[in-house]
Amino acid sequence: MAEKVNRRSFLKTGGMMTAGTFLSGGVQVHAMAAEQGEPARPVSANDHLQIALIGAGGRGQSDTKTAAQVPGVKVRAVADCYDGRLAHAKELWGADIQTTRDYAEILARKDIDAVIIGTPDHWHMRAAVDAMNAGKDVYCEKPMIHLYSDGPKIIETAKRTGRIMQVGSQRVSSMIYKKAKDLLAAGSIGKLNMVTAWWDRNSSIGAWNYSVPLDASTTSCDWPRFLGTAPKIPWNPEHFFQWRKWKAYGSGEAGDLFVHLFSGTHFVTGVHGPTHAMATGGLRFWKDGRNVPDVLLGLFDYPEGFNLNLRCNFVNGGSESEGLVFTGSEGTMTIGGDGVSLVRVPRAKEPGYSVNSFAESMQKEFLAAYRKKYPITHPTGEIPMGEEKYVAPHGYNDTYDHMVTFFNAVRTRQPVVEDPVFGFRAAGAALLSNLSYDQKKVVRWDPEKMKVLD
Ligand SMILES: NC(=O)c1ccc[n+]([C@@H]2O[C@H](COP(=O)([O-])OP(=O)(O)OC[C@H]3O[C@@H](n4cnc5c(N)ncnc54)[C@H](O)[C@@H]3O)[C@@H](O)[C@H]2O)c1
């Protein structure tokens, strides 16, 4: 980044403390709050929240490491279907934690307040419903649903049991998305007409080819439990460790990544979902037995008068990137990397003219009439700010803020934003892409009733 000029400190913007504002390459840059989340406050020993993890793979472990950084949160138990991950859980959180292949043993414990669910998608509904019925609050990874029928079951259980449930699209608690929401609401880009978001990858791991451990077998892995309600097939370590590649356990790029883009879009704009969806794409490169596309494009109509277009491309031989651009009548707002930026180019006050092809006499006559209507003016005053950027502090982790939101709700019983209704609206919208892709037609959705329409 270029040298800082004109430094001004502690500017209050949109209710958020910005740690500093400066010009960089002609762009006004606001550094957002320097401290992340809640200041650590003492938590009395009997105010500790005891948590358990169900599904201790990559994301479950990373969520739980983050949760354990929130003051007053203690990890007490872990359930998983692969012994190697249970062994690593003890390495991470101590030999005295309970580890088991059967999460029912953990749900039966009275001293567990909340669970984090990091299983593959096809277990989300069952594990969340079982946990809430057992009196536990739930942090469940996205996408909340695997099948449309999962949504009403989770919503009903959360209502009936009065448990807090938060879905894990962490951007919903991100200071960057909060800033974007405030900027949009303040009219910074005028009336929104389009949202464009994408996720481009260029690596084998990015295309979900996660490592299979050398000891993977039906001894170290509980294959029948992993399968759950999925079709019964013989032991297959790729299905176990790279489950995103098969519809039986995941929902392809739509459920893995589009859902984040929907959560972000719905949070920033405050809308409930699209009414129409159309998707296309194909399996272009990773022809390794998977049954989901590696390129997916989706178009969605929102009743509020904007379109959303989404793209996931796992075969992008250029640079990897990810972002969201909100386009409005007065500017664009981009969320990407470490912050959110605005570009505003004021529209000309006069319409301009295109008269060169007319006869010279007509050009003269036209220009005279034009200048009579639009006399030449010379703008004065301050140069309008064309570009502005809000940057999160170095190393900012929105999952930490999402965990703080969750544990505050667990303590105060106040509702969270990314509750089961929000989670169903985001995942339900994302999965429309798969319906449209499979059926090769436009599909319709009622975002209020959360129902696919015929
Ligand atoms: N919020 C995010 O940014 C983010 C990032 C990555 C993954 N995720 C989500 O997290 C979830 C897990 O993804 P992952 O990449 O960690 O997968 P993973 O394969 O690494 O881990 C899943 C684990 O769940 C275990 N499991 C399966 N069935 C189980 C059961 N019945 N009981 C207990 N454990 C069970 C498996 O043994 C495995 O270890 C997915 O839903 C994914 O979409 C979210």
Side-chain angles (χ1 to χ4, degrees):
M1 198 173 279
E3 275 299 294
K4 299 168 188 175
V5 200
N6 273 359
R7 192 177 176 89
R8 276 188 285 141
S9 291
F10 301 108
L11 185 88
K12 277 250 186 203
T13 317
M16 180 177 282
M17 180 77 90
T18 54
T21 297
F22 52 89
L23 281 176
S24 169
V27 180
Q28 187 164 20
V29 179
H30 308 279
M32 294 161 84
E35 293 286 323
Q36 172 159 24
E38 298 272 281
R41 59 190 166 82
V43 179
S44 71
N46 55 10
D47 193 24
H48 274 143
L49 292 172
Q50 313 229 74
I51 64 162
L53 168 62
I54 297 173
R59 185 64 189 176
Q61 289 190 11
S62 111
D63 277 344
T64 307
K65 283 186 211 161
T66 306
Q69 293 166 15
V70 177
V73 174
K74 290 263 179 286
V75 182
R76 287 290 183 234
V78 173
D80 199 87
C81 298
Y82 167 47
D83 292 346
R85 286 185 170 144
L86 294 177
H88 194 46
K90 282 189 184 283
E91 289 162 1
L92 287 169
W93 297 296
D96 59 333
I97 64 160
Q98 177 193 9
T99 56
T100 170
R101 288 178 168 190
D102 182 4
Y103 69 65
E105 289 175 12
I106 291 176
L107 297 184
R109 281 175 61 164
K110 294 266 176 300
D111 62 334
I112 300 293
D113 301 295
V115 296
I116 293 174
I117 298 174
T119 63
D121 309 355
H122 71 301
W123 266 102
H124 286 179
M125 184 278 290
R126 189 70 267 151
V129 165
D130 287 348
M132 288 189 280
N133 280 333
K136 315 302 178 200
D137 294 320
V138 170
Y139 182 104
C140 180
E141 265 308 335
K142 46 51 64 175
M144 187 181 90
I145 61 163
H146 183 231
L147 305 174
Y148 277 100
S149 55
D150 294 347
K153 288 180 193 156
I154 295 176
I155 291 171
E156 183 279 320
T157 310
K159 266 195 197 139
R160 176 172 44 76
T161 59
R163 304 324 301 171
I164 301 286
M165 172 159 162
Q166 179 173 274
V167 181
S169 267
Q170 60 275 16
R171 58 190 67 203
V172 172
S173 296
S174 154
M175 66 162 70
I176 297 169
Y177 281 74
K178 169 77 171 65
K179 186 74 216 172
K181 185 178 180 66
D182 291 348
L183 289 168
L184 184 70
S188 301
I189 60 165
K191 169 125 181 57
L192 182 71
N193 57 58
M194 186 178 288
V195 183
T196 302
W198 69 96
W199 218 304
D200 287 342
R201 291 181 171 174
N202 186 13
S203 69
S204 181
I205 294 283
W208 306 324
N209 293 311
Y210 299 131
S211 308
V212 175
L214 302 181
D215 66 352
S217 72
T218 48
T219 307
S220 63
C221 298
D222 189 337
W223 177 237
R225 194 184 299 278
F226 172 92
L227 284 178
T229 52
K232 305 282 170 266
I233 57 164
W235 163 243
N236 186 323
E238 286 188 359
H239 279 233
F240 192 104
F241 289 97
Q242 302 173 353
W243 53 266
R244 282 173 176 78
K245 290 161 42 176
W246 291 278
K247 290 177 197 172
Y249 327 103
S251 321
E253 292 175 327
D256 198 36
L257 300 172
F258 275 12
V259 68
H260 276 303
L261 306 174
F262 275 104
S263 300
T265 300
H266 290 182
F267 174 68
V268 169
T269 58
V271 304
H272 287 170
T275 52
H276 295 77
M278 211 210 98
T280 184
L283 183 57
R284 314 277 189 220
F285 182 81
W286 297 102
K287 296 180 181 171
D288 50 10
R290 67 182 67 199
N291 63 9
V292 290
D294 52 16
V295 173
L296 188 67
L297 306 168
L299 298 174
F300 307 86
D301 288 353
Y302 278 76
E304 291 76 11
F306 68 89
N307 297 95
L308 169 68
N309 78 75
L310 302 182
R311 177 182 88 221
C312 271
N313 189 338
F314 285 0
V315 204
N316 185 326
S319 350
E320 298 208 337
S321 73
E322 180 219 322
L324 278 105
V325 180
F326 296 80
T327 303
S329 51
E330 312 291 326
T332 57
M333 178 172 77
T334 302
I335 298 178
D338 56 354
V340 52
S341 53
L342 289 172
V343 176
R344 280 184 297 244
V345 180
R347 204 165 285 130
K349 295 217 166 63
E350 52 183 85
Y353 46 84
S354 54
V355 296
N356 287 358
S357 58
F358 301 164
E360 278 184 13
S361 56
M362 175 50 69
Q363 291 189 32
K364 272 192 190 141
E365 207 180 311
F366 187 99
L367 284 177
Y370 183 89
R371 277 295 161 228
K372 208 167 165 200
K373 196 165 174 193
Y374 303 105
I376 289 178
T377 55
H378 298 283
T380 52
E382 287 282 299
I383 298 180
M385 182 54 68
E387 286 188 44
E388 231 177 320
K389 186 165 184 187
Y390 295 83
V391 184
H394 183 67
Y396 175 65
N397 175 1
D398 50 7
T399 300
Y400 181 81
D401 280 353
H402 209 37
M403 288 293 172
V404 168
T405 307
F406 175 64
F407 291 116
N408 279 345
V410 169
R411 288 180 199 281
T412 63
R413 310 314 293 170
Q414 293 304 306
V416 291
V417 172
E418 201 178 355
D419 64 4
V421 169
F422 186 108
F424 188 24
R425 286 194 166 124
L431 298 196
L432 295 175
S433 323
N434 291 345
L435 285 183
S436 172
Y437 176 84
D438 290 341
Q439 298 173 11
K440 297 203 180 307
K441 65 171 199 187
V442 174
V443 292
R444 296 191 304 130
W445 167 250
D446 181 334
E448 300 309 320
K449 297 196 178 114
M450 296 170 274
K451 279 202 165 86
V452 177
L453 304 172
D454 295 326

